[in-house]
Structures are given as C-alpha cells and as structure tokens.
Amino acid sequence: IVERDIALDHRRLKAKIAETGITTMFLTTGLFNQHVLTDVGVFAGLKHLLFGGEAAAGDVIRRLMASAERPRHLIHCYGPTENTTFSLTHEFADVPADGAPIPIGRDIANSGSVLVDDTLNPIDGAGQGELLLSGPGLALGYFGDAERTGEKFIRTAWSNEVLYRTGDIVRRLPDGNYVFTGRVDNQVKIRGHRIELEEIENVLTTHPAVDGAVILVSEDGAGGTKLLSAYLQSASELPPVRQIRAHLAGKLPAYMIPSRFCQVEQFPLLSMDKVDRAALAGMQFEALEDTDQHTGFTGNEEVIAEIWARQLKCSVAAIGPDDSFFDL
C-alpha cells in the first residue's frame, strides 16, 4: 500500500494515511523515531501503530503519547527473525515517566519465553538473564549451518520444547514485562540491521596501516540515533578516511561502515589484557577527516558543501564535489 519513497517522507506518508484510510501500520524503530521528531502528527488517524527492531528512545515515545494526534494504540514489538517475527509486545497505556525503562513486552499468543541464568537454568520472578523463546513460530534452524543451529536452537532437561537463544540480556519487571538491558556478545542492532562488531574490527585490521581496531556504538542527536565509531591503533599516520572506507566497502555492506573514525595511541586495557570498552567510550577523540581534499568548488557546490558540513559536524575541507552525503 505504501511505497518506500512515500514511507520515508513524513509529508507524503501523512497524506497517504489520510487518503487510503490505513488503520494499522508497522515501522522499524529508526523510521518511527525520525517521523515523530519531524512531525508528531504524522500518524494521526491510525488505530494501531506498531514499531520495533532495536532499542526504543523514551523521549520519542513520550513526545508521541503526549500528543492529541497520537494513534489510538501504540505498541512496541520485540522478536528476532528466528521466531517469525514478533514474540513479545507492549502497548503504552500512558506517557512513560522520564527515565523509566521502555518495556519490550510480554508473550503474545502461541509464543513462549523463559529467562535463564549463565548455566541455562530458569530464573523465577523478577530478575535478569538471557531470554529464550519457544513456540510454533520458531524456525527449524539455519540452512546449511548445523553448528550454528546446534548453538542457538537447544533442548534442556527442564523443557520438552526446542528453545531459541536470543543472546539478549533482559530484566523481568514485577508486572511480567521484559526490559532489554544488553547482549551476551558484541552484536548490536542499528536501523533494524544485526551487526557483529567483531566482524567490522576483523576487516579493519586487514588494512596494512591498521594495527588494532575497536568498534563502539554511540548516540548522536535527538531520538538516540545510533552510530558506529571506529577506534584505530596504528604505529604510523593513517591514510585518508575515504581510503579506509573504500577498504571496508569491498568486504562489508554499507550499514556496517562506521560513521566516525578516530586514531588511538594505545587502547585502555582491563587486568586480563582485554580492551576496556567502557573506558574507551569515556575518552575524547577528534574524528579523523579527509582534510587534504578539495578546492575550486563552483558557487553552488560551495553553498551545498557548507550545508553538509553543518549537518555532518565536519569541516568543509572534508567534503569533495564527488562525495556521497550518505557515505560521509
């Protein structure tokens, strides 16, 4: 009903909802955030608005729920593809308090969940652990990958069902709702894409000038927009960022290319010689830019480059006439 170019444009989407009488809509969290922050009334007239795919921003939900133009029912959905595809939902009855955790919900019909500790034994009542899922919506496994299937689709002594290990760490609230708190590994979700941070790090270290690499997720701007930041260790001066991006682009999809690159003399380490990611995240670094680039813009190009520089928070010297705004 709604083509992609319309779904991405809040004005056209708002008009399409009014024109067609759409009553129920699902959006990824990133697109939901973008539309609410641009025009809080874009979803007026909807009966059910469902969103999910990554961690939700409380300020965006509060903004929509406080509006007289909100949809009748706002529902946060959670579920990996392996459970095709929602497993838990939470409907917002009122405006969440500032700082309150945003629930990912409770089981929907024909889907089961259980919270387990490090030994894969169930945790009763309120508590925190890894979330396991079950039910007829569960996939049979990963095609052609028996090893990974065996790791993720498991049987236990206390259950006669196959259980899927989500890898998500959640906390169960007294009312039975779950709240997402983190991952058991370094997998993250950005704009609905699952990303293994180590995969990007491994590709970066194949560049001859990079001795070590750490990828962290940071937030930028209203709505908690998530960005990938690359911290690179090198004994020499790093090449221009565009060359590092080109190196990654030959091996990774576009959504796995970091938005920001920084050079680090030495990574902070924990006592067991692993990188202290929390300490690294708290350190201040200047982002690397391609400052050796372009002069001789035409008048119109210079105006556009100045607008880009303000939006991207970089210098005009980092922008060339042949650059892609989205790559930058």
Side-chain angles (χ1 to χ4, degrees):
I1 298 175
V2 179
E3 297 82 0
R4 186 175 190 276
D5 59 336
I6 295 176
L8 295 174
D9 184 324
H10 72 278
R11 295 183 186 88
R12 296 177 69 189
L13 178 60
K14 189 174 184 176
K16 189 76 169 180
I17 291 171
E19 170 195 337
T20 60
I22 294 170
T23 58
T24 301
M25 179 173 286
F26 170 79
L27 294 174
T28 58
T29 299
L31 190 55
F32 166 80
N33 290 343
Q34 177 182 313
H35 284 324
V36 173
L37 292 171
T38 306
D39 178 2
V40 74
V42 67
F43 301 117
L46 287 181
K47 184 177 180 182
H48 295 95
L49 176 61
L50 301 88
F51 71 99
E54 59 192 278
D59 56 337
V60 177
I61 295 168
R62 283 190 294 275
R63 177 171 178 161
L64 180 58
M65 288 298 294
S67 169
E69 296 182 286
R70 65 180 182 271
R72 220 177 311 169
H73 303 278
L74 180 64
I75 300 167
H76 189 201
C77 303
Y78 165 89
T81 302
E82 289 84 348
N83 205 30
T84 41
T85 198
F86 301 145
S87 307
L88 317 170
T89 61
H90 173 74
E91 180 175 352
F92 295 93
D94 47 33
V95 181
D98 190 10
I102 302 301
I104 57 176
R106 288 186 276 196
D107 302 352
I108 63 171
N110 297 312
S111 184
S113 66
V114 61
L115 201 59
V116 297
D117 59 22
D118 292 341
T119 63
L120 296 181
N121 283 310
I123 298 171
D124 295 326
Q128 180 167 294
E130 183 180 355
L131 183 65
L132 274 57
L133 301 174
S134 63
L138 208 61
L140 300 177
Y142 299 104
F143 182 73
D145 194 341
E147 182 179 358
R148 189 178 177 207
T149 298
E151 291 172 355
K152 302 290 281 185
F153 294 84
I154 64 171
R155 289 188 179 275
T156 66
W158 44 264
S159 174
N160 57 6
E161 289 188 286
V162 174
L163 300 163
Y164 171 69
R165 297 189 64 176
T166 66
D168 288 334
I169 302 298
V170 301
R171 186 169 79 255
R172 185 162 46 211
L173 302 176
D175 65 1
N177 273 301
Y178 293 108
V179 175
F180 176 82
T181 60
R183 291 280 304 170
V184 298
D185 51 24
N186 278 330
Q187 185 190 93
V188 297
K189 257 194 171 184
I190 296 183
R191 295 185 294 279
H193 296 288
R194 293 189 203 180
I195 298 173
E196 300 283 355
L197 299 185
E198 280 109 344
E199 189 174 353
I200 307 173
E201 294 167 356
N202 291 340
V203 174
L204 277 167
T205 55
T206 64
H207 192 288
V210 177
D211 300 322
V214 174
I215 303 294
L216 297 179
V217 177
S218 56
E219 292 190 354
D220 179 47
T225 301
K226 293 180 182 178
L227 302 174
L228 294 173
S229 295
Y231 297 84
L232 308 178
Q233 195 172 16
S234 177
S236 58
E237 185 177 350
L238 288 167
V241 170
R242 63 182 179 276
Q243 290 185 18
I244 301 174
R245 282 202 176 98
H247 175 78
L248 291 173
K251 299 175 173 65
L252 297 173
Y255 61 82
M256 293 180 74
I257 309 296
S259 302
R260 185 170 175 264
F261 294 82
C262 303
Q263 185 164 5
V264 181
E265 287 187 14
Q266 184 70 44
F267 290 126
L269 299 177
L270 297 165
S271 58
M272 64 287 292
D273 288 337
K274 289 188 176 182
V275 175
D276 188 340
R277 291 175 178 267
L280 184 62
M283 299 167 70
Q284 298 295 318
F285 297 96
E286 286 293 323
L288 299 173
E289 291 186 354
D290 288 324
T291 54
D292 61 339
Q293 278 190 233
H294 309 279
T295 56
F297 283 120
T298 67
N300 285 342
E301 287 173 344
E302 188 168 356
V303 171
I304 293 170
E306 288 170 357
I307 294 170
W308 284 20
R310 286 198 300 273
Q311 294 298 319
L312 298 169
K313 300 180 178 63
C314 68
S315 67
V316 176
I319 298 169
D322 298 318
D323 285 338
S324 159
F325 179 85
F326 300 102
D327 288 346
L328 293 175

